[in-house]
Amino acid sequence: MRILFKSRNILFMIIFASILVISACSGSSSDDKDASNTGSSEDKSNKELVYLATQDIATIDPAKHTDETSMHMVLNMYDPFIRPNVEEGTMEPSPHIAESWNIDESGKVYEFKIREDVTFHSGNQLTADDVLYSIERMLAIGQGYSWLWDNVLTMDNIEKVDDYNIKITLDEPYAPLLSTFTQLLIVDSKLVKENQKDGEFGENGDYGQEFLTENTAGSGPYMIKDWQRGSDIKLTAFEDYWRGWEDNQIKDIKYMVGVNEEATHKTMLQSGEADFVDQWMSVESQLELGKQDGIKLEEDPSSQLYHIIMNTQKPPLDDKNFRKAISYAFNYELHNNEILGGADQAQGPVPLLVPGHSDEAIVYNYDLEKAKQYLDQSKYAPDEYKIEYYYVADIEEERKTGLLLQSNLKELGIELELVGVPWTQITEITADVSTTPHMIATYDTLKYPHVDSHTYGLYHPSSHGSYRSASWYDNDEVTELLEKARAATDEEEQMNYYKEVQNIVTDDAVSLFIANPTHRIVYNEDIDGYTYVGLLGYDTVFYDFKWK
């Protein structure tokens, strides 16, 4: 993948230099670091881990979660039906609540054996009834990741064989089924039914939605101890957790969302007031902190996509040539080296590390002449519309991306307006095409361990209404290919369909496919057990962590 590198113009250098100066002036020096965070021999078996999150918690309901903080909550309080192989650092679907399974030769019949030693926080035993109810609840509510099973699963497909065995018989093969079950969190059906209110679902009332707004009904390693909305949520160990507990495992967590200033995050980590900061800290701050005693910087190749989604239904971005002009106007190499601290340029929507990535997807590079050619072919004049670029106000890289894009597009006579908003506003406005802005910067990590996550999950019409599918892309050929991919039983045939989708989507310039960034996170070096597997939320299941 060859990337052309053009000369920096004087106007951009002035803007970019200003960004670096501002960034360099923020934060604290290593001299401020408290000696208490340098690692000591003190007994930490009862020490509370303090985690700092940039985003607020949108929901703790396992039928509604979609983003990182919500994933952190549900994965720590509920058990997924199937889990990635975190112990070996892979995304491979592995046994969890589903102890074992068998798939017949047709690819349509799945038989699952359920563990018999799992107890919910309530004391109720987890059985097949709870698994069936959890699927039924997700399908009925129709939020969160329920779209994974649209036109695939109905309750007529699922049979309870006995208390610890279920059988699923699909109408057609569905290649990603096992992978999607990493997003099926099992709820305590008895407890939820006892607390359901009147609602639209007949005898199931509201399916316990009101109850699960503030409470949990899980079997996971942690329970809620206290929750101050907008500030922090405290979790404590469920002592009867079926996987057991070992010495020095972290049993108490304070997950803070009320402090969003990066300088404060840095100070808290340096002083020992905090132990972990989420991945959204700026690259400069992460690299600076990683050089300091007592703090570890973890860097891993990622299966994440950083892109600027373009609303293909909103003028002038409903014009393919206008989108292509923008795609060729952006200086990817400068951005990825200087703003992201070194990152691979994305080649389409599927990250380079994910099996099924297409090496033939179009790669755009910084080429103003090509950009002008496509702009000349567009039905819109460059100054006909002001383009809105929305980004998360607390993520500095997204702001810098906008400044660079603003400078680049000015060369074409296109005006770009930068709008920084809270993450919750991004998720709200992208629920409807009429409120989705022209552009949204977003980091998109795999939601389940399959190429389907970054193809069907972004571009099939059934996924519309999420920040992930804010392009509102509607292409009948792509829709048909995605459905064929899901139904294919031959892996090579299946992957060819997914690759063809990537080739079409990049040709249509649905996003500015910017980078597959290096995943970086900083934390107290006294913590052991952190493993990045590339699947959203699964690197922050606190049960896997220990104090050294």
Side-chain angles (χ1 to χ4, degrees), residues 61 63-64 133 137 140-141 143 192-213:
D61 188 330
K64 298 181 179 181
Y133 179 81
R137 184 173 183 271
I141 293 173
Q143 297 182 40
V192 174
K193 288 176 181 179
E194 288 169 2
N195 289 278
Q196 68 188 27
K197 304 291 185 183
D198 292 339
E200 60 183 301
F201 302 106
E203 64 179 12
N204 289 302
D206 70 341
Y207 267 113
Q209 291 181 77
E210 182 178 329
F211 176 70
L212 292 184
T213 299

Side-chain angles (χ1 to χ4, degrees), residues 79-88 90-102 112-115 117-118 178-179 181-182 241-243 538:
D79 276 306
F81 193 51
I82 287 175
R83 184 173 183 261
N85 194 341
V86 177
E87 288 73 20
E88 295 186 13
T90 77
M91 292 183 282
E92 188 71 22
S94 301
H96 197 63
I97 294 302
E99 188 174 53
S100 62
W101 54 81
N102 182 65
F112 293 94
K113 173 72 172 66
I114 298 166
R115 295 190 65 92
D117 57 352
V118 181
L178 288 180
S179 297
F181 280 157
T182 59
Y241 186 48
W242 62 273
R243 295 172 70 190
Y538 274 96

